[in-house]
Amino acid sequence: MNLPLITCAEEHNEKIAIVTDERAFSYRNLLHISSLIATGLLHDAEDLQEQRVAFLIPPGFEYVATQWGIWRAGGIAVPLCISHPRPELEYVITNSGASIIVAHPQFEDILRLIATEKNLRFILTSETLPNHVSPLPNVDIKRRALILYTSGTTGKPKGVVITHDHIQAQVTSLITAWEWTSDDSILHILPLHHIHGIINVLTCALWAGAECHILSKFDVETVWNRICEGELTLFMAVPTIYVKLIAAWEKASKERQKIMTAGCGKMRLMVSGSAALPVQVLEKWQSISGHFLLERYGMTEIGMALSNPLHGQRYAGYVGQPLPQVEVRLVDESGELVPPGIPGEIQVKSPGVFLEYWQNPQATDKAFRDGWFCTGDTAIVENDNYRILGRMSVDIIKTGGYKVSALEIEEVLRTHPDIQECAVVGVADLEWGERVCAALVLRSQRQLTLESFRSWAKEQLAVYKIPTRIIIVDELPRNAMGKVTKPKVVELFHIK
Ligand code: AMP
């Protein structure tokens, strides 16, 4: 029995699966090359039996063929992040207990050293592939498929273990909700060590028999060029990417802007997720592209959980309702369900929820309550739609006895004429418990004093929500996904 992803691909043999900067690859190519890679990985074994294979390959066909090769050989794929320095790569390789490392020649120096030191098998993607396919194992879909490393707010990243049937559940839920078909064509611009890029874009596309156009590197002009060509039907990105696309549109000539807008008009769906989408960005993007972005909410551990509807009414600032096969509830600190209008922790139950934190049963136990995964995110239901208030640990600030949402304050601060970007955090304080503080990126040539900022904010926010300290920075600290790293923002206030 083949894995369902492979069975789906076999139905689309001659269709284009992957398009890279250099050329197009059919599903047949992908099936063939991945079976050769699987053969090479197996060496003489019949089944890798869930050995972990860490791989570091830039976005492109080789990445996908290797990921499929690992799965087809019965291994667990551990994708490494191309922007990580050596200690972080080493941590993932060691923590996952990888026995094989596959590397693109671009990363040979750093990874060969690690492989030699740890006595691991080392394979370069430039090595010649076997000239025949050996019998590949039957991989049960209950087996582990992926380990994705996700950073908490404290401690080292944890390995989130996802099985083949979790992938199936996550992907089929999104295919149903967003009506993916084999006529779709998506531009892939997201990191390939993260759930958003791996599941929502790459695997959904290939499961549906669609075309996945992979950019080897994110570049805003290239993205616009591809949109202008008018061949794409779908686009998915994080809010920071939409911000960059907006900035490039604003700089373009009137003529070019028309072409850019027309390119967006050819698409059937544009999605934002992985971080809160500022309402201003949504509105600006709508005026440029004609698309009211579909915002969704998800997490490495659960896949996607909440989404605005494909056809129905979408609301700015809201992430809609539970996706197919997903149950969501909101509970208070004592574990009681909260009614609409009251904030609570998002808990999720679905066939897509991960299996375990890799070799960390304590953390796994702690993350579940009565079979529900506790996300650590807070939300509120208003008019039947969920609104995300932020991570309980960093975005829910307890100040002078009040509980305030950093995301809500940020949404207001972004309407200040001099503020381009902002991040609100709670900084430990003897008097207030936590003090509301804001790191601000100003528009060019603008200045702002705490006094003028606070007098403006008094007109917009309850007094206890107004930041009492501000720091002006050139840019906000962000991770590889472009998400603001709040613990680093807090550190800025400790340094000052
Ligand atoms: P990751 O596991 O890296 O995908 O991060 C998941 C976290 O991103 C969630 O726990 C949320 O805190 C945040 N997140 C994802 N989607 C959204 C969204 N639409 N709005 C606000 N936060 C989001």
Side-chain angles (χ1 to χ4, degrees), residues 52-69:
R52 274 75 62 210
V53 183
F55 62 115
L56 188 51
I57 304 173
F61 178 75
E62 279 182 341
Y63 173 98
V64 188
T66 304
Q67 186 197 58
W68 283 31

Side-chain angles (χ1 to χ4, degrees), residues 194 274-276 295-300 319 377 388 391 483:
H194 186 268
S274 289
E295 186 175 5
R296 57 66 183 167
Y297 159 87
M299 194 177 183
T300 308
V319 290
D377 286 315
I388 308 291
R391 302 273 321 139
K483 277 196 223 193

Side-chain angles (χ1 to χ4, degrees), residues 309-314:
L310 180 65
H311 298 297
Q313 177 80 45
R314 299 178 198 158

Side-chain angles (χ1 to χ4, degrees), residues 109-124:
D109 292 352
I110 188 163
L111 288 178
R112 195 185 279 283
L113 269 174
I114 299 177
T116 311
E117 272 173 24
K118 298 187 185 300
N119 203 15
L120 310 177
R121 201 173 143 206
F122 184 74
I123 302 173
L124 274 180

Side-chain angles (χ1 to χ4, degrees), residues 165-428:
D165 64 354
H166 294 139
I167 294 179
Q168 171 163 274
Q170 293 181 11
V171 167
T172 53
S173 170
L174 291 182
I175 288 184
T176 307
W178 299 342
E179 297 180 4
W180 277 89
T181 75
S182 60
D183 291 333
D184 278 315
S185 203
I186 191 163
L187 186 65
H188 198 308
I189 47 155
L190 294 167
L192 277 165
H193 66 285
H194 186 268
I195 187 132
H196 196 171
I198 296 177
I199 301 292
N200 300 22
V201 182
L202 181 64
T203 314
C204 279
L206 298 178
W207 198 287
E211 281 183 20
C212 188
H213 295 239
I214 305 184
L215 286 194
S216 57
K217 202 165 153 268
F218 174 80
D219 167 67
V220 74
E221 282 311 321
T222 315
V223 174
W224 268 122
N225 287 341
R226 300 298 283 272
I227 293 175
C228 290
E229 285 164 15
E231 303 293 320
L232 304 168
T233 63
L234 289 169
F235 187 75
M236 297 182 193
V238 296
T240 34
I241 289 183
Y242 286 106
V243 170
K244 287 189 178 140
L245 291 170
I246 290 170
W249 188 92
E250 282 174 336
K251 275 204 208 118
S253 68
K254 288 272 172 288
E255 271 313 290
R256 170 91 174 141
Q257 286 181 345
K258 273 192 200 145
I259 301 170
M260 291 160 127
T261 298
C264 293
K266 296 267 170 59
M267 284 194 226
R268 69 171 185 88
L269 175 65
M270 304 189 95
V271 178
S272 172
S274 289
L277 173 66
V279 171
Q280 278 188 330
V281 175
L282 175 139
E283 285 170 352
K284 184 75 202 170
W285 187 254
Q286 188 179 17
S287 73
I288 285 177
S289 70
H291 284 268
F292 191 105
L293 286 172
L294 181 152
E295 186 175 5
R296 57 66 183 167
Y297 159 87
M299 194 177 183
T300 308
E301 286 89 335
I302 57 174
M304 298 306 112
L306 296 162
S307 167
N308 274 287
L310 180 65
H311 298 297
Q313 177 80 45
R314 299 178 198 158
Y315 295 96
Y318 289 80
V319 290
Q321 295 180 354
L323 279 156
Q325 310 173 51
V326 181
E327 283 178 82
V328 175
R329 66 178 197 181
L330 297 185
V331 301
D332 65 18
E333 277 148 7
S334 50
E336 296 296 320
L337 288 182
V338 297
I342 304 290
E345 184 191 13
I346 305 176
Q347 298 190 346
V348 176
K349 204 186 249 189
S350 87
V353 170
F354 78 127
L355 182 69
E356 63 195 353
Y357 290 115
W358 179 249
Q359 296 191 331
N360 196 341
Q362 258 181 329
T364 311
D365 278 353
K366 241 177 99 184
F368 286 88
R369 190 150 312 139
D370 309 325
W372 291 81
F373 175 72
C374 309
T375 62
D377 286 315
T378 307
I380 188 167
V381 174
E382 291 162 344
N383 301 320
D384 280 344
N385 280 274
Y386 284 79
R387 181 158 66 88
I388 308 291
L389 297 172
R391 302 273 321 139
M392 281 154 69
S393 49
V394 286
D395 291 321
I396 303 299
I397 303 169
K398 285 169 205 141
T399 183
Y402 290 103
K403 242 187 208 175
V404 301
S405 155
L407 302 196
E408 237 169 38
I409 300 172
E410 287 163 8
E411 198 56 70
V412 172
L413 299 193
R414 282 191 208 98
T415 64
H416 188 290
D418 298 333
I419 296 177
Q420 183 163 348
E421 286 185 288
C422 61
V424 169
V425 290
V427 176

Side-chain angles (χ1 to χ4, degrees), residues 29-147:
N29 292 146
L30 180 55
L31 286 164
H32 179 61
I33 301 293
S34 62
S35 65
L36 292 176
I37 293 174
T39 303
L41 286 169
L42 283 167
H43 228 23
D44 288 321
E46 285 176 7
D47 186 328
L48 286 185
Q49 300 285 9
E50 298 196 354
Q51 279 182 60
R52 274 75 62 210
V53 183
F55 62 115
L56 188 51
I57 304 173
F61 178 75
E62 279 182 341
Y63 173 98
V64 188
T66 304
Q67 186 197 58
W68 283 31
I70 297 166
W71 287 343
R72 299 182 80 183
I76 302 180
V78 185
L80 300 170
C81 170
I82 50 178
S83 58
H84 277 177
R86 178 176 168 157
E88 288 181 64
L89 295 173
E90 207 165 336
Y91 170 77
V92 171
I93 291 166
T94 311
N95 185 273
S96 65
S99 53
I100 307 175
I101 297 180
V102 182
H104 183 274
Q106 196 180 322
F107 305 107
E108 176 172 4
D109 292 352
I110 188 163
L111 288 178
R112 195 185 279 283
L113 269 174
I114 299 177
T116 311
E117 272 173 24
K118 298 187 185 300
N119 203 15
L120 310 177
R121 201 173 143 206
F122 184 74
I123 302 173
L124 274 180
T125 52
S126 53
E127 285 171 26
T128 316
L129 289 170
N131 53 19
H132 71 283
V133 179
S134 63
L136 300 180
N138 285 327
V139 179
D140 189 280
I141 73 162
K142 294 258 175 265
R143 276 172 52 173
R144 295 169 179 83
L146 257 182
I147 305 183

